C-alpha cells in the first residue's frame, strides 16, 4: 500500500553513497551481503529493493568509471553511446571493442573493481541457478531485477 510520505531522499542517499562513497572492499562486502540475503528466507520485497537501490547503481557506477578510462591509441575514451549505434563503421566497432576490453581487463585485475570472476560465478550459481535447488522459486519482480542485473553484467563484461 503506497504511503503519503515521500521517501525518495532515502533512495537518492543510498544510490549516491553506495556508488560514490564506499571503497571497493566495502562494495564487495555489499555484494556478499546481497548474496546472503538472496539465499535467505527474507521477503522478496527486501531482495528487490536491495538490487534496485544498492547493487544496480553500484555496478553501473563502477562500470561507467572503468569505461571512462582511455582505451584508444590516442588516449581518448570511447565516445558516449557509440555502442548503442549500429556498427556501421570500423570506428564504432573499435569503440565497442575498446570499451569491453577496459571492463574485461579491469575485472581480470580485480584490484579496483567490485565484480571479479568469483562474484560472477557466485551470481550465476546462487542467483540464476538458485544454488542447484529447485525448491526456491523467485517471484516475478525479483526475476525481473535479476534479469536487469544479468543484462548489466553481460553488457559490460561479455
Amino acid at each position: 500500500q503506497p504511503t503519503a510520505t515521500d521517501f525518495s531522499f532515502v533512495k537518492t542517499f543510498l544510490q549516491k553513497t553506495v556508488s560514490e562513497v564506499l571503497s571497493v572492499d566495502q562494495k564487495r562486502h555489499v555484494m556478499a551481503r546481497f548474496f546472503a540475503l538472496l539465499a535467505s528466507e527474507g521477503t522478496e520485497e527486501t531482495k528487490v529493493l536491495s538490487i534496485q537501490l544498492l547493487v544496480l547503481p553500484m555496478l553501473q557506477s563502477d562500470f561507467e568509471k572503468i569505461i571512462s578510462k582511455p582505451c584508444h591509441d590516442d588516449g581518448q575514451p570511447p565516445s558516449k553511446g557509440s555502442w548503442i549505434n549500429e556498427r556501421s563503421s570500423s570506428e564504432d566497432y573499435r569503440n565497442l571493442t575498446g570499451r569491453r576490453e577496459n571492463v574485461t581487463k579491469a575485472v581480470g585485475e580485480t584490484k579496483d573493481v567490485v565484480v571479479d570472476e568469483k562474484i560472477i560465478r557466485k551470481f550465476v550459481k546462487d542467483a540464476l541457478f538458485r544454488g542447484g535447488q529447485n525448491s526456491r522459486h523467485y517471484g516475478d519482480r525479483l526475476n525481473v531485477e535479476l534479469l536487469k542485473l544479468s543484462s548489466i553484467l553481460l553488457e559490460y563484461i561479455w
Side-chain angles (χ1 to χ4, degrees), residues 51-68:
I51 293 174
Q52 290 175 342
L53 301 178
L54 299 173
V55 177
L56 288 177
M58 176 179 68
L59 294 180
Q60 187 77 32
S61 171
D62 277 9
F63 289 142
E64 288 298 325
K65 286 176 189 172
I66 293 168
I67 288 171
S68 67

Side-chain angles (χ1 to χ4, degrees), residues 6-140:
D6 181 16
F7 287 105
S8 62
F9 69 93
V10 175
K11 177 181 178 179
T12 304
F13 171 78
L14 285 174
Q15 289 175 341
K16 185 173 181 166
T17 300
V18 170
S19 299
E20 299 173 10
V21 177
L22 296 182
S23 69
V24 172
D25 288 334
Q26 290 170 323
K27 290 177 181 181
R28 287 184 183 145
H29 185 71
V30 167
M31 290 299 293
R33 295 286 297 158
F34 165 69
F35 287 125
L37 173 68
L38 199 58
S40 76
E41 295 296 323
T43 66
E44 182 173 319
E45 183 69 18
T46 304
K47 295 173 185 181
V48 167
L49 288 173
S50 65
I51 293 174
Q52 290 175 342
L53 301 178
L54 299 173
V55 177
L56 288 177
M58 176 179 68
L59 294 180
Q60 187 77 32
S61 171
D62 277 9
F63 289 142
E64 288 298 325
K65 286 176 189 172
I66 293 168
I67 288 171
S68 67
K69 292 180 182 177
C71 64
H72 295 305
D73 295 334
D74 61 1
Q76 297 296 317
S79 60
K80 185 79 170 159
S82 62
W83 57 90
I84 296 171
N85 301 329
E86 290 188 32
R87 290 181 235 153
S88 57
S89 72
S90 60
E91 181 61 31
D92 286 341
Y93 181 74
R94 281 196 303 271
N95 286 342
L96 175 65
T97 304
R99 173 180 173 263
R100 286 190 178 151
E101 286 173 0
N102 266 2
V103 175
T104 304
K105 181 180 175 189
V107 168
E109 293 171 356
T110 69
K111 60 183 177 187
D112 292 332
V113 293
V114 176
V115 176
D116 57 6
E117 288 182 31
K118 210 164 74 170
I119 293 284
I120 293 172
R121 283 193 185 114
K122 186 159 183 64
F123 174 72
V124 170
K125 180 183 170 203
D126 294 351
L128 300 182
F129 292 126
R130 298 175 178 96
Q133 300 174 2
N134 291 329
S135 63
R136 184 174 45 195
H137 296 283
Y138 299 139
D140 290 340

